[in-house]
């Protein structure tokens, strides 16, 4: 089966980004939303993005016009999917809303059409089971912004056919992205399984050690090879996104996250990070300001508990057959911008030291910190 025609459901930041990326690769795209106004805005943003590429001489004016011409905005759902071979759904991360959308979609799309959800945390199998085609349903998680981020997580549900998984991986490659396969439909998939719990753990580290935000962030950046500090990254991502992912992941598996009450409190107080002007840090305007971090500040914080947290979750993914070390490292490099492989950092710190730290934390703070058997075996 070959794919030429794709319908993208939802024209927000991710939706119009995925539409642009796919049209750039030569696919015919229908961009669908529930109101014409939303589509007009999305098309303007695509135009702006393409014009920017022209001004930077990345593409020619003719190429930009051709890409734009391959994207057709449509409000009517039946009309939007009439020629589709693949539908990529990018509606908000609310399970009931997604199920409602798929119930309508299932009625109007031809039986052979593949459904792909861009969800970042919701269970693929559960959504797939609300349709008449769970074997043709898959998770395809692009990262924000899709125009720039190279990583795409591909997540088959329990009933997804091997053919659909291969086809999805080929599609990801065709739009010039790199696919990482999450072999099991686990909470948070790969990246959020590593990132979201680490935000909570950083709050605990601050409580336990008395280190400042800047000291912890400097240690994360300069000692662990992250592109920015963990609190900085959380502000950049948005506490609304982090809180939502936390709730969804914790609901499905209590072992994933040890929720720190500050995350929910910040969400309730609308301290969402950069987008609201205040999160962990304060921001004076919408242009992105970097927090002042330094090697000197990094010396004041030992990030072993953060390494222990992210490594324990990485090990869990391997032990539970959701991924392997090589794929996790690729995902962390592309999705989190890690400059140094996780397990390399772990070896420098010493796996035994990390296991000891986890055992100590487990004794003081409960079962959550119990080291994964893989780490224990690697000492």
């Amino acid at each position: 089966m070959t794919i030429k025609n794709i319908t993208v459901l939802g024209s927000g930041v991710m939706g119009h980004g995925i539409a642009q990326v796919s049209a750039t690769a030569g696919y015919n795209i229908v961009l669908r939303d529930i109101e014409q106004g939303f589509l007009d805005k999305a098309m303007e943003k695509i135009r702006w993005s393409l014009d920017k590429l022209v001004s930077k001489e990345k593409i020619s004016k003719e190429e930009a016009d051709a890409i734009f011409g391959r994207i057709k905005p449509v409000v009517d759902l039946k009309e939007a999917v009439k020629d589709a071979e693949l539908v990529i759904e990018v509606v908000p991360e609310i399970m009931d809303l997604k199920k409602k959308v798929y119930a309508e979609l299932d009625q109007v799309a031809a039986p052979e059409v593949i459904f792909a959800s861009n969800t970042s945390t919701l269970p693929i199998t559960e959504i797939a089971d609300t349709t008449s085609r769970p074997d043709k349903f898959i998770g395809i998680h692009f990262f924000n912004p899709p125009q720039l981020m190279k990583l795409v997580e591909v997540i088959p549900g329990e009933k997804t056919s091997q053919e659909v998984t291969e086809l999805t991986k080929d599609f990801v490659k065709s739009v010039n992205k790199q696919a990482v396969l999450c072999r099991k439909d686990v909470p948070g998939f790969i990246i959020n399984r590593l990132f979201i719990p680490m935000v909570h753990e950083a709050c605990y580290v601050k409580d336990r050690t008395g280190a400042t935000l800047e000291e912890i962030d400097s240690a994360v950046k300069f000692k662990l090879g992250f592109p920015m500090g963990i609190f900085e990254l959380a502000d950049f991502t948005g506490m609304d996104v982090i809180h939502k992912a936390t709730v969804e992941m914790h609901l499905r598996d209590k072992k994933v996250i040890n929720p720190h009450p500050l995350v929910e409190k910040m969400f309730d107080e609308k301290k969402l990070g950069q987008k609201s002007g205040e999160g962990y840090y304060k921001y004076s305007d919408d242009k992105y300001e970097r927090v002042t971090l330094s090697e000197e500040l990094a010396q004041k914080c030992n990030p072993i508990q953060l390494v222990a947290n992210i490594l324990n979750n990485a090990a869990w993914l391997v032990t539970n057959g959701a991924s392997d070390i090589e794929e996790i490292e690729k995902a962390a490099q592309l999705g989190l911008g890690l400059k140094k492989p996780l397990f390399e950092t772990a070896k420098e710190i010493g796996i035994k030291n990390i296991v000891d730290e986890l055992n100590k934390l487990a004794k003081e703070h409960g079962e959550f910190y119990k080291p994964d058997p893989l780490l224990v075996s690697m000492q």
Side-chain angles (χ1 to χ4, degrees):
M1 187 180 167
T2 55
I3 292 171
K4 283 295 299 160
N5 303 317
I6 298 170
T7 299
V8 178
L9 296 186
S11 66
V13 175
M14 294 302 287
H16 75 251
I18 293 168
Q20 181 184 325
V21 162
S22 305
T24 301
Y27 291 97
N28 306 315
I29 306 298
V30 172
L31 185 58
R32 191 263 167 171
D33 217 317
I34 50 174
E35 281 178 32
Q36 189 59 46
F38 295 158
L39 290 168
D40 294 343
K41 252 194 206 125
M43 295 303 283
E44 268 171 39
K45 286 181 174 155
I46 293 170
R47 185 84 257 181
W48 177 87
S49 177
L50 291 169
D51 288 345
K52 207 167 168 185
L53 290 170
V54 172
S55 70
K56 286 183 168 175
E57 296 182 358
K58 296 261 178 58
I59 55 175
S60 68
K61 176 85 175 74
E62 293 71 37
E63 282 171 308
D65 290 343
I67 293 164
F68 192 76
R70 283 195 284 274
I71 304 170
K72 184 180 166 196
V74 174
V75 173
D76 181 72
L77 183 62
K78 196 173 179 184
E79 162 75 12
V81 298
K82 71 174 196 311
D83 298 322
E85 286 132 358
L86 169 68
V87 174
I88 302 176
E89 163 273 308
V90 205
V91 304
E93 289 282 86
I94 302 157
M95 190 52 122
D96 289 344
L97 177 63
K98 293 217 190 255
K99 287 180 175 175
K100 184 172 166 290
V101 167
Y102 280 107
E104 291 171 22
L105 180 61
D106 208 26
Q107 296 291 310
V108 293
E112 65 278 4
V113 179
I114 296 166
F115 293 171
S117 177
N118 181 61
T119 181
S120 55
T121 48
L122 297 174
I124 300 302
T125 306
E126 193 184 321
I127 310 174
D129 281 344
T130 66
T131 72
S132 61
R133 60 191 89 195
D135 57 322
K136 294 191 178 70
F137 196 107
I138 196 158
I140 182 167
H141 177 214
F142 282 80
F143 287 74
N144 190 13
Q147 296 91 325
L148 300 177
M149 293 293 276
K150 276 289 188 205
L151 180 68
V152 177
E153 289 179 317
V154 173
I155 314 100
E158 279 167 26
K159 296 171 188 157
T160 308
S161 74
Q162 188 57 38
E163 189 194 1
V164 166
T165 302
E166 292 307 319
L167 202 74
T168 307
K169 282 160 62 178
D170 290 345
F171 163 70
V172 169
K173 202 170 165 184
S174 76
V175 296
N176 198 20
K177 301 290 173 198
Q178 293 204 36
V180 167
L181 183 68
C182 185
R183 297 189 205 115
K184 278 198 184 152
D185 183 11
V186 297
F189 314 137
I190 296 173
I191 288 298
N192 280 335
R193 180 92 201 188
L194 302 177
F195 168 58
I196 303 290
M198 200 177 159
V199 175
H200 291 269
E201 198 56 27
C203 296
Y204 283 113
V205 168
K206 188 175 181 299
D207 293 348
R208 290 176 201 141
T209 65
T212 65
L213 293 171
E214 289 84 356
E215 285 164 0
I216 294 169
D217 272 359
S218 295
V220 166
K221 183 175 176 177
F222 295 104
K223 291 181 174 177
L224 308 185
F226 274 68
M228 53 173 87
I230 191 73
F231 293 116
E232 202 182 5
L233 191 55
D235 276 355
F236 188 67
T237 306
M239 294 316 288
D240 46 348
V241 176
I242 289 168
H243 174 64
K244 186 88 189 68
T246 300
V247 172
E248 288 298 344
M249 288 162 68
H250 196 249
L251 196 69
R252 294 168 61 198
D253 186 354
K254 301 283 176 273
K255 291 195 302 292
V256 184
I257 295 176
N258 182 15
H260 191 289
L262 182 61
V263 170
E264 188 170 5
K265 185 171 181 280
M266 285 168 70
F267 171 73
D268 290 341
E269 290 172 0
K270 306 270 187 290
K271 291 181 181 171
L272 305 181
Q274 207 197 320
K275 64 177 88 167
S276 69
E278 185 181 355
Y280 289 103
Y281 298 102
K282 280 195 166 82
Y283 302 88
S284 58
D285 60 20
D286 4 311
K287 87 171 188 304
Y288 185 52
E289 316 157 48
R290 295 306 294 259
V291 177
T292 314
L293 305 177
S294 68
E295 302 242 14
E296 200 180 332
L297 286 170
Q299 296 315 314
K300 297 185 174 167
C301 170
N302 177 355
I304 188 162
Q305 293 182 3
L306 290 171
V307 176
N309 178 269
I310 195 169
L311 212 70
N312 216 16
N313 274 317
W316 184 95
L317 286 165
V318 178
T319 301
N320 286 276
S323 194
D324 56 42
I325 290 177
E326 199 183 335
E327 285 276 90
I328 289 169
E329 296 291 18
K330 180 178 165 185
Q333 186 205 341
L334 295 169
L336 292 170
L338 248 60
K339 296 181 177 68
K340 200 159 78 175
L342 277 176
F343 283 84
E344 201 176 287
T345 302
K347 285 194 180 105
E348 284 170 15
I349 292 170
I351 303 255
K352 187 184 179 316
N353 296 333
I354 289 168
V355 171
D356 289 349
E357 188 70 32
L358 285 165
N359 280 323
K360 198 174 94 193
L361 286 167
K363 217 190 235 149
E364 287 173 35
H365 306 286
E367 275 298 273
F368 173 80
Y369 290 100
K370 216 174 137 213
D372 188 88
L374 176 70
L375 293 185
V376 176
S377 73
M378 285 170 82
Q379 298 186 86

